[in-house]
Amino acid sequence: MAEQILEGVSPTRMELLEIRKKLVLAEKGHKLLEEKRDALVEKFFNIIDKRNILLKKLDEEFKTAFVSLIQAQMILGEKKVEEASYLIKDVGEIEFETDNIMGVKIPKMDSNNIKTEIKPLYGFSDTCSRLDDANASFTKLLVKLIELADLEAIIKSLTVEIEKTKRRVNVLENNLIPKLYATRKFIEMQLEEREREDFFRRKRIKAILESKKA
Protein backbone atom coordinates (compact mmCIF):
# COMPACT_ATOMS: atom_id res chain seq x y z
CA MET A 1 0.00 0.00 0.00
CA ALA A 2 1.43 3.36 -1.06
CA GLU A 3 2.20 5.83 1.68
CA GLN A 4 -0.11 8.82 1.79
CA ILE A 5 1.41 12.28 1.65
CA LEU A 6 -0.01 15.70 2.48
CA GLU A 7 -2.01 17.32 -0.30
CA GLY A 8 -0.82 20.43 -2.13
CA VAL A 9 2.86 19.95 -1.27
CA SER A 10 5.54 21.16 -3.67
CA PRO A 11 8.85 19.24 -3.70
CA THR A 12 11.06 22.23 -2.84
CA ARG A 13 13.76 22.78 -0.24
CA MET A 14 11.63 25.43 1.46
CA GLU A 15 8.73 22.99 1.70
CA LEU A 16 11.07 20.32 3.05
CA LEU A 17 12.18 22.64 5.86
CA GLU A 18 8.52 23.36 6.72
CA ILE A 19 7.65 19.66 6.76
CA ARG A 20 10.61 18.93 9.06
CA LYS A 21 9.44 21.69 11.44
CA LYS A 22 5.88 20.34 11.41
CA LEU A 23 7.17 16.84 12.07
CA VAL A 24 9.15 17.98 15.12
CA LEU A 25 6.10 19.84 16.48
CA ALA A 26 3.78 16.90 15.76
CA GLU A 27 6.05 14.41 17.55
CA LYS A 28 6.47 16.79 20.50
CA GLY A 29 2.69 17.30 20.64
CA HIS A 30 2.14 13.54 20.41
CA LYS A 31 4.46 12.94 23.34
CA LEU A 32 2.79 15.62 25.47
CA LEU A 33 -0.68 14.28 24.67
CA GLU A 34 0.43 10.74 25.57
CA GLU A 35 1.75 12.02 28.90
CA LYS A 36 -1.49 13.92 29.50
CA ARG A 37 -3.57 10.85 28.61
CA ASP A 38 -1.58 8.60 30.96
CA ALA A 39 -1.79 11.15 33.79
CA LEU A 40 -5.55 11.55 33.28
CA VAL A 41 -6.05 7.77 33.31
CA GLU A 42 -4.03 7.47 36.53
CA LYS A 43 -6.07 10.28 38.11
CA PHE A 44 -9.27 8.65 36.85
CA PHE A 45 -8.55 5.34 38.58
CA ASN A 46 -7.49 7.11 41.78
CA ILE A 47 -10.85 8.90 41.84
CA ILE A 48 -12.65 5.61 41.10
CA ASP A 49 -10.92 4.01 44.12
CA LYS A 50 -11.81 7.00 46.29
CA ARG A 51 -15.44 6.86 45.09
CA ASN A 52 -15.69 3.13 45.82
CA ILE A 53 -14.31 3.57 49.36
CA LEU A 54 -16.80 6.37 49.99
CA LEU A 55 -19.68 4.23 48.65
CA LYS A 56 -18.86 1.50 51.16
CA LYS A 57 -18.81 4.01 54.01
CA LEU A 58 -22.09 5.52 52.84
CA ASP A 59 -23.70 2.09 52.64
CA GLU A 60 -22.76 1.33 56.25
CA GLU A 61 -23.80 4.77 57.52
CA PHE A 62 -27.12 4.63 55.66
CA LYS A 63 -27.86 1.30 57.33
CA THR A 64 -27.12 2.82 60.77
CA ALA A 65 -29.24 5.90 60.03
CA PHE A 66 -32.20 3.85 58.80
CA VAL A 67 -32.00 1.55 61.81
CA SER A 68 -32.30 4.61 64.07
CA LEU A 69 -35.20 5.94 61.98
CA ILE A 70 -37.07 2.61 62.02
CA GLN A 71 -36.58 2.30 65.78
CA ALA A 72 -37.91 5.86 66.24
CA GLN A 73 -40.96 4.98 64.13
CA MET A 74 -41.53 1.87 66.24
CA ILE A 75 -41.38 3.91 69.47
CA LEU A 76 -43.25 7.06 68.37
CA GLY A 77 -45.21 5.88 65.35
CA GLU A 78 -44.70 6.91 61.73
CA LYS A 79 -47.07 9.89 61.95
CA LYS A 80 -45.28 11.38 64.95
CA VAL A 81 -41.89 10.98 63.26
CA GLU A 82 -43.23 12.63 60.09
CA GLU A 83 -44.59 15.57 62.11
CA ALA A 84 -41.23 15.95 63.88
CA SER A 85 -39.43 15.98 60.52
CA TYR A 86 -41.18 19.24 59.62
CA LEU A 87 -39.51 20.84 62.63
CA ILE A 88 -35.95 20.18 61.43
CA LYS A 89 -33.97 23.36 60.78
CA ASP A 90 -32.54 24.26 57.39
CA VAL A 91 -29.03 22.81 57.16
CA GLY A 92 -27.74 25.56 54.85
CA GLU A 93 -27.17 26.19 51.15
CA ILE A 94 -24.82 24.59 48.65
CA GLU A 95 -22.65 26.89 46.55
CA PHE A 96 -21.33 25.86 43.15
CA GLU A 97 -17.75 26.45 42.04
CA THR A 98 -15.50 25.33 39.20
CA ASP A 99 -12.46 23.19 39.96
CA ASN A 100 -9.53 22.61 37.62
CA ILE A 101 -7.92 19.18 37.42
CA MET A 102 -5.06 18.95 34.92
CA GLY A 103 -6.67 21.58 32.71
CA VAL A 104 -10.11 19.97 32.93
CA LYS A 105 -12.82 22.27 34.30
CA ILE A 106 -15.12 20.42 36.68
CA PRO A 107 -18.21 21.70 38.53
CA LYS A 108 -17.78 21.44 42.28
CA MET A 109 -20.21 21.86 45.18
CA ASP A 110 -19.05 23.74 48.26
CA SER A 111 -20.52 22.13 51.39
CA ASN A 112 -18.79 24.42 53.91
CA ASN A 113 -22.11 26.16 54.63
CA ILE A 114 -23.85 22.89 55.51
CA LYS A 115 -24.45 22.65 59.25
CA THR A 116 -24.05 19.11 60.53
CA GLU A 117 -24.76 19.82 64.20
CA ILE A 118 -28.03 21.68 64.63
CA LYS A 119 -30.64 21.30 67.35
CA PRO A 120 -34.12 20.38 66.08
CA LEU A 121 -37.13 22.53 66.93
CA TYR A 122 -39.24 19.68 68.28
CA GLY A 123 -39.50 19.09 72.03
CA PHE A 124 -37.33 16.33 73.45
CA SER A 125 -40.08 15.24 75.83
CA ASP A 126 -42.33 14.41 72.86
CA THR A 127 -39.74 12.37 70.95
CA CYS A 128 -36.95 9.90 71.68
CA SER A 129 -33.17 9.61 71.42
CA ARG A 130 -33.46 7.29 68.40
CA LEU A 131 -35.05 10.12 66.43
CA ASP A 132 -32.21 12.42 67.44
CA ASP A 133 -29.71 9.80 66.28
CA ALA A 134 -31.49 9.43 62.93
CA ASN A 135 -31.57 13.22 62.47
CA ALA A 136 -27.85 13.55 63.24
CA SER A 137 -26.91 10.58 61.02
CA PHE A 138 -28.84 11.77 57.97
CA THR A 139 -27.51 15.33 58.34
CA LYS A 140 -23.91 14.06 58.35
CA LEU A 141 -24.68 11.80 55.40
CA LEU A 142 -25.68 14.86 53.37
CA VAL A 143 -22.09 16.16 53.37
CA LYS A 144 -20.77 12.80 52.19
CA LEU A 145 -23.43 12.60 49.48
CA ILE A 146 -22.24 15.99 48.21
CA GLU A 147 -18.67 14.63 48.20
CA LEU A 148 -19.89 11.57 46.25
CA ALA A 149 -21.63 13.82 43.70
CA ASP A 150 -18.38 15.77 43.25
CA LEU A 151 -16.44 12.56 42.66
CA GLU A 152 -19.00 11.38 40.12
CA ALA A 153 -18.70 14.73 38.31
CA ILE A 154 -14.90 14.37 38.22
CA ILE A 155 -15.19 10.82 36.86
CA LYS A 156 -17.59 11.93 34.12
CA SER A 157 -15.44 14.93 33.12
CA LEU A 158 -12.22 12.90 33.12
CA THR A 159 -13.86 10.19 31.00
CA VAL A 160 -14.79 12.78 28.35
CA GLU A 161 -11.31 14.37 28.44
CA ILE A 162 -9.52 11.00 28.27
CA GLU A 163 -11.53 9.99 25.18
CA LYS A 164 -10.85 13.38 23.58
CA THR A 165 -7.11 13.09 24.31
CA LYS A 166 -7.00 9.50 23.02
CA ARG A 167 -8.58 10.60 19.73
CA ARG A 168 -5.98 13.36 19.34
CA VAL A 169 -3.16 10.92 20.06
CA ASN A 170 -4.56 8.47 17.50
CA VAL A 171 -4.94 11.17 14.83
CA LEU A 172 -1.31 12.23 15.29
CA GLU A 173 -0.01 8.67 15.58
CA ASN A 174 -1.95 7.05 12.76
CA ASN A 175 -2.60 9.92 10.39
CA LEU A 176 -0.64 13.16 10.59
CA ILE A 177 2.80 11.89 11.65
CA PRO A 178 2.89 9.03 9.07
CA LYS A 179 1.81 11.51 6.37
CA LEU A 180 4.52 13.96 7.42
CA TYR A 181 7.16 11.19 7.28
CA ALA A 182 5.89 10.08 3.88
CA THR A 183 5.83 13.66 2.60
CA ARG A 184 9.36 14.32 3.86
CA LYS A 185 10.55 11.13 2.16
CA PHE A 186 8.74 12.07 -1.08
CA ILE A 187 10.28 15.56 -1.19
CA GLU A 188 13.77 14.24 -0.36
CA MET A 189 13.50 11.65 -3.16
CA GLN A 190 12.27 14.30 -5.62
CA LEU A 191 15.13 16.64 -4.69
CA GLU A 192 17.68 13.82 -4.97
CA GLU A 193 16.29 12.91 -8.37
CA ARG A 194 16.62 16.52 -9.50
CA GLU A 195 20.18 16.67 -8.22
CA ARG A 196 21.08 13.52 -10.16
CA GLU A 197 19.49 14.94 -13.29
CA ASP A 198 21.35 18.23 -12.81
CA PHE A 199 24.59 16.35 -12.23
CA PHE A 200 24.24 14.32 -15.44
CA ARG A 201 23.12 17.43 -17.35
CA ARG A 202 26.21 19.36 -16.19
CA LYS A 203 28.40 16.38 -16.98
CA ARG A 204 26.90 16.15 -20.49
CA ILE A 205 27.35 19.88 -21.09
CA LYS A 206 30.93 19.67 -19.87
CA ALA A 207 31.63 16.76 -22.19
CA ILE A 208 30.12 18.66 -25.14
CA LEU A 209 32.20 21.77 -24.37
CA GLU A 210 35.40 19.70 -24.06
CA SER A 211 34.69 17.94 -27.35
CA LYS A 212 34.23 21.32 -29.09
CA LYS A 213 37.51 22.56 -27.67
CA ALA A 214 39.24 19.40 -28.90
Side-chain angles (χ1 to χ4, degrees):
M1 185 177 177
E3 293 178 319
Q4 290 186 334
I5 65 172
L6 296 174
E7 294 180 1
V9 174
S10 302
T12 63
R13 293 193 178 279
M14 189 67 71
E15 194 75 62
L16 180 61
L17 290 173
E18 286 299 316
I19 292 297
R20 285 173 177 171
K21 287 178 185 177
K22 287 179 181 178
L23 188 54
V24 170
L25 288 173
E27 289 182 330
K28 190 179 292 185
H30 178 261
K31 184 181 178 182
L32 290 172
L33 283 171
E34 277 191 322
E35 290 173 356
K36 180 184 178 180
R37 179 200 60 195
D38 295 342
L40 285 170
V41 169
E42 184 179 356
K43 185 71 175 177
F44 174 82
F45 283 112
N46 287 338
I47 297 296
I48 289 285
D49 291 339
K50 192 175 179 180
R51 190 272 310 269
N52 291 341
I53 291 170
L54 182 58
L55 279 173
K56 287 182 180 179
K57 288 181 181 178
L58 279 168
D59 188 49
E60 294 171 2
E61 292 180 22
F62 261 116
K63 288 177 183 177
T64 302
F66 273 110
V67 166
S68 298
L69 179 61
I70 292 168
Q71 289 176 345
Q73 289 174 332
M74 291 172 65
I75 296 169
L76 301 172
E78 290 186 15
K79 187 176 181 181
K80 188 71 175 178
V81 170
E82 184 180 351
E83 289 173 354
S85 69
Y86 297 128
L87 299 173
I88 302 296
K89 290 181 181 179
D90 188 354
V91 296
E93 294 183 353
I94 299 171
E95 293 184 359
F96 287 88
E97 302 174 346
T98 301
D99 202 0
N100 191 311
I101 298 178
M102 300 180 66
V104 184
K105 290 184 179 180
I106 297 168
K108 180 178 175 61
M109 290 183 282
D110 185 1
S111 60
N112 290 328
N113 294 329
I114 300 297
K115 300 169 186 175
T116 56
E117 295 182 5
I118 53 175
K119 292 182 180 179
L121 297 172
Y122 56 74
F124 292 102
S125 58
D126 298 329
T127 57
C128 64
S129 61
R130 295 279 76 191
L131 183 60
D132 297 337
D133 293 340
N135 177 35
S137 296
F138 280 111
T139 304
K140 288 177 182 178
L141 274 167
L142 178 60
V143 176
K144 290 186 179 178
L145 285 171
I146 292 171
E147 183 184 350
L148 177 63
D150 280 338
L151 291 176
E152 293 289 357
I154 294 171
I155 290 168
K156 184 177 179 180
S157 298
L158 288 179
T159 301
V160 172
E161 190 64 25
I162 287 168
E163 286 302 315
K164 193 188 297 181
T165 307
K166 281 170 67 177
R167 284 197 297 270
R168 289 174 179 171
V169 169
N170 289 336
V171 167
L172 286 171
E173 191 173 302
N174 301 317
N175 190 293
L176 183 59
I177 291 176
K179 280 186 177 181
L180 286 170
Y181 270 111
T183 304
R184 186 185 70 177
K185 182 180 177 182
F186 166 75
I187 294 174
E188 287 174 346
M189 288 175 65
Q190 290 292 315
L191 291 176
E192 286 173 4
E193 182 66 26
R194 286 181 188 175
E195 285 178 2
R196 281 195 296 271
E197 288 176 358
D198 288 343
F199 173 75
F200 286 117
R201 190 179 296 111
R202 289 194 299 270
K203 192 174 181 182
R204 195 178 302 114
I205 291 170
K206 184 180 179 181
I208 291 169
L209 290 174
E210 286 178 351
S211 64
K212 286 183 177 179
K213 287 179 182 178

